[in-house]
Structures are given as structure tokens and as C-alpha cells.
Amino acid sequence: MSSLAVAEPPASRAPSRSPARSPALSPASGPSPCAGERRRNASDAGAELGAVQDTQLRSVDLSHVIKLLEDSHSKDLEKEQLRTLKKVVKHFENGFPLKDLAQIIEIVNLCAEKMNEQEAFTEPLCELIKLCGLPFQKKKLSDEVSYSVTVSKSIAQLGYLMRVPSSRVKIQICKCIVSFYNMELPRKLLSGYQPTSANYKIQMAELGGLAETLVLSLALVENQLTEKLWVLKALQHLSSSGVNCRLMMKAQAASRLCLYLNGVDPSGQLVFRSSEILWNLLENTSKDEVVKQLSSLECVHALKEVFVDLLRNGFRHCDRQLQNDLLVIATLVAGNPAAPMIESGFAKLLIVLATFAEVRIPNPLVKGIKLTYSYEDFEMKKLLFNVIGVLSKDPCAVQLLSENDVMPALLCYVKPNQKPGFHDWSAAQYEELQLHAIAILASVAPLLVDKYLSCQANTLLLVFLEWCIGQDPFFGQGNSFHGTGGRGNKLAQMRYSLRVLRSVVSLYDDAVNLNLSDQGAIIELLDILKYAVKRSKEKEDAILLEIQADILFLLSALCENDLHRKELFSYEGVDILIPFIQMDPKKLYSGLGHNCLLFTALDCLWSCVIGCYIAEDYFLEKQGIFLLLDLLASKQKNLYNIILGILVEFCDNPKTTSHISTWRGEKDQTAAPLLIQLWREEELELGVKRDRYGRIVDMKSPIAGSFHKEQEVIPMPANCPSFAIMEISENIRAKIYSLLCKLGFENLPGLSAKDFVTLPIIRHYIDFKVREVWNELCAELKEEARPVTSDEEALKVISQVSEDPGRMVAALQTEVLESQHHQDLQEEEKTYTKIRAIHKQREIVNKSWENFLTRTSNYEALKKAKRLQEKSIEASRSKLKTQAGAVHSTDIKGLSTTVGSGRLVTVESTPPQLVGGPLAVRDFALRKPL
């Protein structure tokens, strides 16, 4: 029977020896007469060896092997089957060809079936599985693609073989899978065959879903530690791929692995490998999905128990690292509101661990736990602070934070580090913990306001901020995330302390703000702001801009609705605000935070200056209204609303309107044209219908935008504002109307014809808005019920009357346009008259030039011109002859030119006898009388 299964060639043993021992390939003992002959002999021997191996490979009849294994009628075949399997293993000791892999896997499955009855098949089965770990053999490059389906199914069968009740087989399967990632070439390569690529098996394992099957097989080895560790090792390798991680998540890998964390394992590999796989799942799949699987009560309990065990009993470096890894996973789970962190007691344990070193209050939860000052414990301390920040987002955890002295523990860090080795932490470590604690305090303080006030946190923070701007020698390390920009200075401490104040002040709690103001916060904040502005002039960066914005926000919140605090702010505060309003608009797009700084400066102006006449008058003296209008004219659309709101509020001061009227922008632009231009831009964006001249088109809804018209009528309670009312606060038209009402609609300087067309619309804005409200009211009544006859008539009359302003404004706009058209025609006629005069003058000049040329070139023409000139002179003389009048000749003697001469004046000299000759003294007045 053996001869039918494997045809063994007679000369099969000789070539099977190692090529190194072959006489043809072994080095000669003496000098070789011909090196070329020796190389030819070696190559001939290698070719003969490959040919014999190929013959041997073709001689294996796997179909007969399968048939032999399927024959189970006789028990006497067992020895023959085992011997045949041994020969198959020997035959394929260098790897399976891809073309035979399907039959090999069928043989493996038959062996697995026989193992249930005969344990003798364990050995060949393990050997065959072991050979699956070797690279598969291919003849052509395309074989990898051609056999991909077969190979993926074959590798998937390895996972299904985990059901075989044999520890040895299960371990061998895991070893085989691990070998996919540590591929080693066989000692011999079959002639005509090449090994598949290194990642081929890994790709086929992904395609066949091996990882999912292996996760499900964990249930089969739940009580077998060795086998479980091998399965986890295989999964650890498989989880390096995103495809495998997604397959594992389908089999609930995260929750299964978490439940094994607290299993008994003296070696510690169980926790290590499980946590490593969980990390890979978090990195390669959806983090939310992993956290969701870990959020069951059983998983949280398992995490807690293994964490506490490592905390109490772990002393090695790797134990501390593993402890921190689990703490990170626990932090992610705590971020899920559905996770039972509080119910399991894990949240309380973590909070106590984070604070027990600072508050030093005995607690049974931390009994026997000693915090060292190693790097791993330093990392754990930061992670515990981070857990507090995560738990602060859960309203259910607020009571735990209050009961376990989180506030006093965090406030311990709101003070300068007096010595470099504080609490045995290095200076850099203490600074990092300090900044982290203050950052977490910003999240916790708004939740624990009573604790915040009882611990006098405002006082501590103000004293700490005073130290930040002081001259004490301190050089921040700036190594941590929170220490960004704080190297060599105290800016990081200042930044996070201001964040804490901002978080509590933004609650607008009267007790907090009063306590802060009583501590002199306004004056100190102004000093800090001046310090930050001075530093920003030296070097401007995002952190300094953030500090300035936070201070301005704090001042806004403190001074709002409090006249006394505004007076404290007034002079010094206005001097600081003016440069912010003068900011170059180009800086708003720098990305450093100038836009946020400008917004907070304008908000601070609104809250700290408006309402206090002392501050308002000083702002006006500093030409603040001019600066606001300059900023408005710079076309920063996102600033329109707040600037116009400030101007409207300022107009309550009677001095403001004169400042607005006096302002002049580029090209001598006044405030009124600027406001009207902004109105037109706003209407264009809202989609309000206007004709090409800017006139009203829709008489029923003259100022309604396209979005407003598309809204369906929804009946609403009386205390809920309708869309027409809400729209007032959502755009700038109401503010422009209010400003122009303050300035007046008559005698506005600098308006164009287009402005005059738009101005009536603005003037009747309230009338149009009333019309919109009535339209909504009528529509709601039609939706809810039919009004009675008298009400219906009243609504109809109101609707007709409310249309009158629209018609009146349209008529006025038409009149303005006609007047402008008539004025344009008059201007055009004046222009044409001027043009005609210019052309006529040019014709006269041209004709004069032609006459001049004619007189110059034609003597007869010159004589004719002379006669005409004489005749003209003669005609111009008076006909009445005077008695003693002298007659002057018009001829110029000695003139030899052929053109008309210019004006000639002949002066007759005084007779010499009167002046005494040419050498006589001219100064008659100084002469002495004879």
C-alpha cells in the first residue's frame, strides 16, 4: 500500500545529502589543476540534484494519501496511514507548493478528525501544521494572485483547528501563526520554485479572517493558561494590522481580553499581552467602539482589580509601565458617560490616589500604597490629574470631587516653587505638575464654587499672578505640553492661572465676582495687562495674545453693570484699550489670535466704559469714536455688529453725535454714506429684492430677505419671539437705523443719489418691521382658526394701511431718481455747452493761424490786411475833434516785419533844459536852493 501512495525512486537517498558534503562541491585538499572544470562539476551536480528533487515532488500522489486516510473500515491501516503521513512530511520538509495546498489542508483536516479516536495522529498533524509556517512555494509570479482564494481559505482552516482537543495542536497552530511574522527561508529551495513574498501569508490571513476565529477560540482555552498565552501571543502579532483589528472587534475582542486581565498568571504575561492587544485595537480601530466594549461593569471591575494589584504588588520597572498603560485605558473608559466608573468604585479610587499626597488625610483605599518619585510614578501622577479632568465632565462625579478634597489638593500647586527639590520632585517635574494641576483646576473650579470660595482661591490666584509679574528670579523649563512658551519666564503660570479665573468669572456668580473685586482684582489685572502689552511689543506670540484676551474678558465680566468698578477702570483702562482699537486690520488674519484679542477689547469697551460718563468722556477726548468709525470703514464684516452696537450705546452721551458727524474717512467720506453703504451690503447678503436703481420691488414685504420669505408659518406662544423679531438681532440693520435716528435724516453731508434712494427705506424701517409682524400675525391666525368678521375686516384694513409706507417710499424713491435724472441732464447740457465753446475757440485759433500763414507767404494778402487794419483804426477814432488834442500816428517807423506788431508805446523824453542835461543830479528833492 505504501508503494501506491508514495513512489520512491531508487536513487533518492544519494542526492538527498547536503550539497556541502557532496564530493563535487567540497573543497579539494590540494591545488586544483582547473578551476573552471571544478565550477562546471559543481553546477552539473546542482542541476542533477534539482532534477531529482523535482522528480520526487511530482511523484507524490496526494489524492492517494487522502483516499488512504478516508478509508476507515480497517484498524490495521493505522500504521500504514501514519507511515504515509510521515513520508508526506518528509517529502514537503521545505514547504508546500501553492498548487498542492488545498489537498494538504484536506489531509490536515482528516488527521484532526482521526485524532479524536487515535492520539497517534497528533504527531503528524503537528508536523504538517509546523510546515504551514514555512514559506509556500510558487512557480510563477502570478501564482500568488491565482491561488489567493485557496490560500486564504487554507489559512482560515488553521483557526478552525483550534477546536481540536489537544494542547499540543493548539500551541503548534499559534506557533505557526507567529512564524508568519518571523519568516525564515528553508535550507533547500526546490528547483523551479520560489518562496512567496514575506507578507503574503499575513495578507492571506487578513483575507481569510483568521484573527476573528482566533479571538473566538479564546473561549476554548479559558482555563488553560499556557494555551491562552500562546493564543494571546498570536493575537498580539495579528493586531499589528488594522484589518485584523477590525475583524477582532467583530468578535468582541476588547471585552473578552479585558475580562482575562485579572486572571491568575505568575509570569505576568497575561496582563502584558492583553494590554498590548488592547492598545493595538485602540490605535488601529475606532476608539469609541473599543471604549464601548470596555464599558461594561465586569470589564471596569477587571481593570480596577488588576490596576490595584499592580499598584500594591508591582515593584519592577515593567510593572510600573504596565500600570500606567492600564491607567490610560481607564481614562479613556472614564470619558464614556455610560461607563460605570462611579458604581464600580474605580472613580473614587483614582480621585483619592490623585490627591492623597497633597491633602495627607488617611484613607483606607490607599492604605499600603506608597508613591515613589520615579519617572513612572511621575507619569502616573500626571495621568491621575488627567483622570480628574475627565471625570469633571460627568455631573455625577461632582460629589466625589467635592468629598475627596480635590480643590485643596489642586490649590497646593498655586504657589511658586521655593526650592528646586520640592517634595522630592525635580524643578522641571514640579513645574510640569504645577501647570497640569492649575489646568485641571480650571475645569474643576466652576463645579465646586463653594469649595473654591472657602479655600480662598481668588486670593491665592491673585497673589500667584502678582508673583508672575514680579522680579523674582525664576526660569521656567517649558518642557511639558502646558509649559509651551514658558521657557525662561513665568508666562505659562500666568496663562493657566488666568484660565482658572476666567472659568469661574464666566459663571457670573455675584459672590465670586464680589470676592474677586474686593481683593483689588481690577487694578491688579490692569497691571498684568500692561505687563503683557509691554512683553508683546518685544515679541508677539499666541500665548501673550491669549493672556491679554483673557484679562480683557475678566475686566468685562467684573465691570459689567457695576458703576463703581467702571470708575476704577476708567482712565487707566481707556488708555490701554485705545491701542487695541488702533490695531492694524491685516493682523486679524495672522493666525496668532489678534481677531480674538480685538473682539475682547471691543467687548471690554462696551462693558467697562459705556454707562460711566467719566470713562465715556475720556474715551471721546481720546478720539475713540473716530477710531471706531475707522475700524468700521476697514470692511471687517465680522466686526460690524459689535462696533455698531457700541456706537448706538455711545449715542446716549450727547457729545457723541457731534463726533460722528465730524469724522471723515478716506476720500473725505462721512459717517452717513458709510452707514447707508453697510445697509445695502447687508440687504444684498440677505437677498432683499430691489430693482437696479435700489427701489422697493415687493410692497408687502419691503425689507424681507429670501430666507425670511421661505419660512413656513409656525404658530408660537406669545412669549416666544417670531422670526421677524428674531431677525432684528441677527443683522445690523436695526443698529444702522438707530444710529441714523440719532444723527437725523435731514441735511446729511456727502450723500450720493444712490444714498438718497436708500435713505427712505432706512427711515421707515420700523414701519416695514411692523408690517412684517402683522403679516406673521395674520398667517398664524389663518393656521390656528378663522377670525370673526369684524376681526377679519380689521386685519384687512391694517394690512392695506401697512402697505402705504411701502408705496410712499417707492414714490419718493422715484421722485429722487427723476430729480437726479433731471439734474444729470442739466449737468450734461452744461458740459456740452462748455465743450462747444472749447471747440469754437479752437476754430478761431486755427483760423488766426491760417491768416498768419497767408500774410507771411502772400504779399498781396499782407497789404490787404494792412489796409483793413488802417481802416479799422480809422473807424475806431472819435468823430469829434478836440481843440488841443494831440493826434498820434498809428504807423511804426522803420518796421520791416510782415506780421502785425505787438503793442508799442512811444515815450517822449522831458526836454533837457528842464533836467539840466544827462549828467545833472537827478534827485531834485535833496538839492539845496540857490
Side-chain angles (χ1 to χ4, degrees):
M1 203 67 178
S2 175
S3 61
L4 294 174
V6 181
E8 188 175 344
S12 61
R13 293 183 180 272
S16 65
R17 292 181 296 174
S18 172
R21 297 182 182 180
S22 174
L25 298 178
S26 59
S29 56
S32 173
C34 181
E37 183 179 355
R38 184 169 68 251
R39 286 194 295 270
R40 284 195 298 274
N41 292 337
S43 61
D44 293 342
E48 182 182 356
L49 176 62
V52 174
Q53 286 180 338
D54 194 38
T55 303
Q56 182 182 5
L57 186 63
R58 288 196 302 269
S59 65
V60 175
D61 192 348
L62 296 176
S63 300
H64 285 288
V65 178
I66 294 171
K67 186 176 180 181
L68 176 64
L69 292 173
E70 289 175 344
D71 190 357
S72 58
H73 298 293
S74 175
K75 293 183 179 180
D76 299 334
L77 292 175
E78 180 182 347
K79 292 182 180 180
E80 186 67 25
Q81 291 170 343
L82 292 172
R83 188 164 52 252
T84 304
L85 288 173
K86 188 175 180 180
K87 292 181 179 179
V88 170
V89 170
K90 180 66 176 176
H91 183 69
F92 293 107
E93 63 180 351
N94 293 318
F96 297 122
L98 290 175
K99 63 184 183 64
D100 295 331
L101 191 57
Q103 290 179 309
I104 293 295
I105 294 300
E106 188 173 355
I107 293 172
V108 169
N109 286 330
L110 289 172
C111 289
E113 292 176 5
K114 288 185 172 295
M115 248 193 67
N116 295 327
E117 300 176 356
Q118 301 169 341
E119 293 185 1
F121 284 89
T122 303
E123 180 68 27
L125 177 59
C126 290
E127 291 296 326
L128 289 171
I129 294 172
K130 183 179 180 181
L131 292 177
C132 288
L134 295 176
F136 295 142
Q137 308 291 320
K138 63 180 180 182
K139 271 196 171 182
K140 296 183 291 185
L141 291 175
S142 60
D143 283 353
E144 290 188 4
V145 179
S146 303
Y147 291 100
S148 60
V149 177
T150 302
V151 176
S152 62
K153 289 180 179 179
S154 302
I155 292 179
Q157 285 295 321
L158 293 176
Y160 299 136
L161 287 175
M162 291 295 292
R163 71 184 186 279
V164 175
S166 170
S167 298
R168 187 179 173 188
V169 172
K170 293 174 183 176
I171 293 173
Q172 188 59 57
I173 292 171
C174 294
K175 288 182 177 179
C176 176
I177 296 171
V178 171
S179 68
F180 292 175
Y181 295 85
N182 301 302
M183 193 64 67
E184 295 182 2
L185 294 176
R187 292 174 297 174
K188 300 178 184 178
L189 295 177
L190 301 176
S191 177
Y193 286 85
Q194 293 178 349
T196 54
S197 58
N199 293 327
Y200 182 65
K201 284 188 179 181
I202 299 174
Q203 296 170 359
M204 294 301 102
E206 294 174 355
L207 188 61
L210 176 62
E212 183 179 2
T213 309
L214 210 58
V215 171
L216 295 173
S217 71
L218 280 170
L220 303 174
V221 296
E222 189 170 353
N223 299 318
Q224 303 168 13
L225 180 60
T226 305
E227 291 84 339
K228 189 192 298 185
L229 292 176
W230 272 106
V231 173
L232 291 176
K233 185 176 182 180
L235 287 173
Q236 187 178 352
H237 284 83
L238 290 170
S239 63
S240 61
S241 160
V243 176
N244 286 334
C245 285
R246 288 188 286 273
L247 292 170
M248 292 166 66
M249 288 300 296
K250 289 183 181 179
Q252 302 292 312
S255 58
R256 290 174 183 268
L257 291 168
C258 189
L259 294 175
Y260 294 144
L261 284 174
N262 57 347
V264 179
D265 176 26
S267 67
Q269 291 190 39
L270 185 63
V271 179
F272 170 73
R273 297 196 185 282
S274 299
S275 62
E276 184 71 20
I277 297 170
L278 286 174
W279 267 107
N280 290 340
L281 292 175
L282 287 167
E283 290 177 355
N284 296 323
T285 61
S286 170
K287 188 180 296 183
D288 294 337
E289 183 63 28
V290 177
V291 170
K292 185 178 179 181
Q293 289 190 18
L294 294 175
S295 295
S296 65
L297 185 60
E298 294 81 5
C299 290
V300 174
H301 267 300
L303 271 174
K304 176 188 174 184
E305 290 176 7
V306 70
F307 176 74
V308 172
D309 180 66
L310 286 169
L311 196 62
R312 294 182 184 276
N313 304 318
F315 57 90
R316 296 174 299 179
H317 178 75
C318 60
D319 293 336
R320 298 291 186 183
Q321 288 182 329
L322 187 56
Q323 162 191 298
N324 290 343
D325 290 344
L326 293 176
L327 186 54
V328 173
I329 295 174
T331 305
L332 294 174
V333 174
N336 181 13
M341 294 291 291
I342 299 174
E343 295 82 349
S344 64
F346 201 6
K348 184 175 182 180
L349 172 66
L350 295 175
I351 292 172
V352 172
L353 281 173
T355 60
F356 83 98
E358 287 78 15
V359 296
R360 299 189 180 280
I361 297 176
N363 194 308
L365 291 176
V366 293
K367 187 177 181 180
I369 296 176
K370 185 179 180 180
L371 183 67
T372 65
Y373 299 97
S374 63
Y375 177 77
E376 287 72 27
D377 282 352
F378 170 68
E379 291 294 323
M380 185 184 74
K381 188 71 176 178
K382 292 194 298 180
L383 290 171
L384 290 170
F385 280 164
N386 193 47
V387 170
I388 293 177
V390 172
L391 291 174
S392 66
K393 298 176 183 177
D394 186 0
C396 300
V398 174
Q399 186 176 355
L400 281 177
L401 296 174
S402 178
E403 293 174 351
N404 293 282
D405 299 311
V406 170
M407 182 64 65
L410 294 176
L411 287 173
C412 288
Y413 291 92
V414 185
K415 57 184 177 181
N417 184 9
Q418 301 297 338
K419 56 180 182 178
F422 180 79
H423 284 296
D424 294 327
W425 298 117
S426 67
Q429 288 177 330
Y430 176 76
E431 182 188 5
E432 191 169 347
L433 289 176
Q434 180 188 54
L435 294 174
H436 201 158
I438 298 175
I440 298 301
L441 185 61
S443 301
V444 175
L447 306 174
L448 307 174
V449 176
D450 294 336
K451 286 275 187 181
Y452 179 86
L453 291 174
S454 64
C455 293
Q456 298 183 348
N458 281 333
T459 305
L460 292 173
L461 286 166
L462 289 175
V463 171
F464 190 61
L465 284 170
E466 189 175 356
W467 170 79
C468 289
I469 62 173
Q471 300 298 324
D472 296 346
F474 175 81
F475 300 98
Q477 303 298 317
N479 296 326
S480 64
F481 167 77
H482 296 95
T484 303
R487 190 170 187 84
N489 54 58
K490 308 170 189 175
L491 291 181
Q493 285 79 0
M494 183 188 299
R495 177 189 187 189
Y496 285 99
S497 299
L498 289 170
R499 282 191 183 182
V500 178
L501 289 175
R502 186 186 66 186
S503 68
V504 292
V505 168
S506 60
L507 297 173
Y508 291 94
D509 186 282
D510 292 337
V512 174
N513 291 358
L514 179 61
N515 178 270
L516 198 56
S517 301
D518 291 344
Q519 302 292 333
I522 294 177
I523 302 302
E524 183 171 342
L525 288 173
L526 287 173
D527 290 339
I528 299 171
L529 183 57
K530 286 190 288 186
Y531 172 82
V533 170
K534 182 179 178 182
R535 289 291 300 268
S536 186
K537 290 178 180 178
E538 298 172 2
K539 182 181 179 182
E540 198 169 53
D541 60 11
I543 293 175
L544 282 169
L545 294 178
E546 180 188 337
I547 288 173
Q548 295 172 65
D550 285 345
I551 295 173
L552 291 171
F553 172 78
L554 289 171
L555 292 168
S556 301
L558 290 174
C559 295
E560 190 174 9
N561 303 323
D562 192 290
L563 182 59
H564 174 64
R565 296 173 193 170
K566 290 182 180 182
E567 290 175 351
L568 290 175
F569 176 86
S570 57
Y571 292 106
E572 192 173 1
V574 169
D575 286 334
I576 296 175
L577 282 179
I578 292 295
F580 290 126
I581 303 174
Q582 291 176 320
M583 183 187 299
D584 185 0
K586 294 179 181 178
K587 289 185 176 181
L588 298 178
Y589 305 101
S590 66
L592 293 176
H594 290 89
N595 51 352
C596 180
L597 179 60
L598 182 56
F599 269 109
T600 52
L602 292 172
D603 180 61
C604 184
L605 172 63
W606 199 331
S607 301
C608 301
V609 175
I610 295 176
C612 176
Y613 284 111
I614 298 175
E616 287 182 2
D617 290 345
Y618 189 65
F619 184 76
L620 292 173
E621 289 177 14
K622 290 289 184 177
Q623 300 184 346
I625 295 297
F626 293 167
L627 298 177
L628 288 174
L629 289 170
D630 288 338
L631 192 58
L632 187 65
S634 65
K635 302 299 181 183
Q636 301 299 323
K637 185 173 177 56
N638 54 349
L639 298 175
Y640 287 168
N641 218 324
I642 188 169
I643 295 175
L644 290 171
I646 292 171
L647 291 173
V648 170
E649 294 286 344
F650 253 110
C651 283
D652 290 338
N653 190 320
K655 301 177 183 178
T656 304
T657 52
S658 61
H659 281 254
I660 296 176
S661 301
T662 308
W663 175 80
R664 293 294 182 270
E666 292 184 2
K667 299 180 180 179
D668 206 30
Q669 184 185 32
T670 59
L674 173 62
L675 296 174
I676 296 172
Q677 182 183 356
L678 295 180
W679 176 284
R680 284 196 294 266
E681 292 175 1
E682 187 72 12
E683 286 196 334
L684 182 63
E685 185 174 346
L686 292 173
V688 180
K689 287 186 177 180
R690 297 280 183 264
D691 65 5
R692 64 193 182 107
Y693 301 109
R695 291 179 296 186
I696 292 175
V697 175
D698 188 355
M699 301 299 171
K700 294 183 178 180
S701 302
I703 60 172
S706 57
F707 182 71
H708 186 184
K709 293 179 179 179
E710 292 171 1
Q711 296 300 307
E712 297 180 359
V713 177
I714 302 174
M716 302 179 70
N719 59 345
C720 294
S722 64
F723 187 87
I725 302 300
M726 291 294 295
E727 186 260 353
I728 294 175
S729 62
E730 292 177 354
N731 58 64
I732 62 175
R733 292 189 293 181
K735 295 181 177 66
I736 295 174
Y737 168 76
S738 300
L739 274 175
L740 287 174
C741 285
K742 297 287 185 179
L743 295 175
F745 290 95
E746 303 294 338
N747 301 322
L748 293 174
L751 297 185
S752 64
K754 196 173 184 181
D755 295 335
F756 278 113
V757 172
T758 308
L759 191 60
I761 301 176
I762 303 174
R763 189 168 190 171
H764 292 84
Y765 173 73
I766 290 296
D767 298 329
F768 296 147
K769 187 56 68 174
V770 170
R771 166 69 182 170
E772 286 184 0
V773 174
W774 276 114
N775 287 343
E776 289 181 342
L777 180 60
C778 294
E780 288 185 18
L781 286 174
K782 290 179 182 179
E783 288 288 329
E784 293 181 341
R786 182 179 178 183
V788 296
T789 306
S790 58
D791 290 344
E792 190 172 1
E793 291 177 358
L795 289 172
K796 188 179 296 184
V797 172
I798 291 171
S799 178
Q800 292 174 354
V801 171
S802 60
E803 290 182 14
D804 292 342
R807 297 191 185 94
M808 182 185 67
V809 169
L812 182 59
Q813 288 177 319
T814 303
E815 183 181 346
V816 169
L817 289 172
E818 289 176 353
S819 174
Q820 180 64 30
H821 181 63
H822 179 69
Q823 185 176 353
D824 291 343
L825 289 177
Q826 288 181 340
E827 292 292 334
E828 185 178 354
E829 186 175 351
K830 289 180 180 179
T831 303
Y832 277 119
T833 303
K834 186 177 180 179
I835 292 172
R836 283 197 297 269
I838 292 172
H839 279 284
K840 187 174 181 180
Q841 182 66 26
R842 286 178 180 173
E843 289 176 1
I844 293 172
V845 170
N846 291 337
K847 189 173 182 181
S848 174
W849 176 251
E850 290 175 358
N851 291 335
F852 168 72
L853 293 178
T854 303
R855 293 196 305 272
T856 304
S857 57
N858 191 339
Y859 181 68
E860 294 297 329
L862 178 61
K863 290 194 297 182
K864 183 178 179 181
K866 179 66 176 177
R867 287 193 297 270
L868 289 174
Q869 184 182 30
E870 291 174 349
K871 190 180 294 185
S872 173
I873 292 171
E874 193 66 29
S876 66
R877 285 177 175 170
S878 176
K879 302 298 182 184
L880 299 174
K881 294 184 178 180
T882 59
Q883 294 292 330
V887 178
H888 298 280
S889 174
T890 58
D891 291 333
I892 302 174
K893 295 180 179 180
L895 184 67
S896 60
T897 60
T898 59
V899 296
S901 61
R903 293 178 181 177
L904 179 67
V905 178
T906 303
V907 179
E908 295 182 358
S909 301
T910 305
Q913 60 271 18
L914 295 179
V915 298
L919 300 178
V921 180
R922 297 308 194 263
D923 192 356
F924 298 108
L926 298 177
R927 235 165 139 186
K928 295 180 179 180
L930 297 174

